[in-house]
Amino acid sequence: DIQLTQSPSFLSASVGDRVTITCRASQGISSYLAWYQQKPGKAPKLLIYAASTLQSGVPSRFSGSGSGTEFTLTISSLQPEDFATYYCQQLNSYPFTFGGGTKVEIK
Amino acid sequence: EVQLVESGGGLVQPGGSLRLSCAASGFTFSSYWMSWVRQAPGKGLEWVANIKQDGSEKYYVDSVKGRFTISRDNAKNSLYLQMNSLRAEDTAVYYCAREWVGAAATDYWGQGTLVTVSS
């Protein structure tokens, strides 16, 4: 199975900060990676697919990059509504797997 | 508007069975792979299983193989998860989700249904 390691697992930041989350795959997954945002008690929401394509309706302050084994999610200027937990998911090979999550909290 | 509504969760004893359902609307259900993803209380997301548009291919995470069965009824726009031999570690919120194969992503999610396995 492909393991996805997210770092950091916890991040404390202020409104307006630039935030970067990393997702490393245990083997190459090309660009078959998606990023999700989840708020407490809610279902995940798709932010980025194919590693770098912004899902329709998602603010442009979110961006994704990478291919192969290393990927990043960047929030260019953190907004109050962005405080949440973020997950990466690989859809390159079965079983599809998720990273452990990165919780972004208010400093 | 795409909607996915899960039902069938509840409290079940270890070793018991439960069948989850997901009613889909707002899109052509028969054109999409569908999946189940779960989240144990306070934990991260775990992909459980998925099924091809016509039901001819199904994939499972190892921890549920032989115990869970994913199925669908395209005439009823419904997805199912039959869960047998349930264990305490199967306790989780189970989400029904639509897979967007062309984009390699899960683009729509239901609100989830809680399954609790406990005596």
Side-chain angles (χ1 to χ4, degrees):
Chain A
D1 298 1
I2 296 175
Q3 312 301 321
L4 296 181
T5 303
Q6 279 185 241
S7 60
S9 55
F10 176 85
L11 188 160
S12 181
S14 301
V15 172
D17 283 354
R18 181 181 181 89
V19 167
T20 299
I21 299 168
T22 297
C23 178
R24 289 188 173 89
S26 59
Q27 56 187 273
I29 57 171
S30 185
S31 296
Y32 295 105
L33 188 103
W35 289 97
Y36 305 89
Q37 177 193 68
Q38 187 180 34
K39 296 183 178 179
K42 300 294 187 181
K45 173 188 173 183
L46 176 64
L47 299 175
I48 301 283
Y49 62 89
S52 61
T53 305
L54 194 67
Q55 170 69 335
S56 176
V58 174
S60 60
R61 62 181 179 273
F62 290 92
S63 63
S65 66
S67 68
T69 61
E70 187 146 339
F71 303 85
T72 59
L73 172 71
T74 299
I75 310 172
S76 60
S77 177
L78 202 62
Q79 298 302 299
E81 60 268 30
D82 301 336
F83 292 95
T85 301
Y86 294 84
Y87 294 93
C88 56
Q89 182 195 23
Q90 66 83 17
L91 297 95
N92 179 76
S93 61
Y94 290 110
F96 294 163
T97 47
F98 289 89
T102 296
K103 187 173 185 179
V104 178
E105 289 201 342
I106 302 172
K107 182 184 284 185
Chain B
E1 178 194 4
V2 172
Q3 284 199 320
L4 298 168
V5 180
E6 302 94 337
S7 60
L11 176 63
V12 61
Q13 292 189 336
S17 298
L18 213 54
R19 188 195 195 207
L20 305 184
S21 299
C22 172
S25 61
F27 66 102
T28 305
F29 180 73
S30 59
S31 296
Y32 288 85
W33 283 77
M34 296 295 296
S35 64
W36 289 98
V37 176
R38 67 184 179 183
Q39 187 169 35
K43 302 297 184 183
L45 301 168
E46 180 182 37
W47 180 88
V48 174
N50 72 353
I51 184 169
K52 194 176 180 179
Q53 291 92 328
D54 61 0
S56 61
E57 294 181 37
K58 305 174 185 181
Y59 299 91
Y60 299 90
V61 68
D62 281 352
S63 59
V64 309
K65 280 180 183 174
R67 300 189 299 123
F68 291 11
T69 302
I70 189 172
S71 62
R72 64 192 296 162
D73 185 336
N74 287 341
K76 294 183 178 179
N77 290 338
S78 293
L79 178 71
Y80 306 101
L81 186 67
Q82 177 66 43
M83 303 186 295
N84 299 330
S85 303
L86 282 161
R87 306 167 180 166
E89 54 264 36
D90 296 318
T91 295
V93 172
Y94 285 74
Y95 293 102
C96 164
R98 188 180 87 169
E99 290 188 353
W100 183 13
V101 174
T106 308
D107 61 350
Y108 284 94
W109 302 66
Q111 84 288 351
T113 188
L114 176 62
V115 173
T116 303
V117 184
S118 174
S119 55

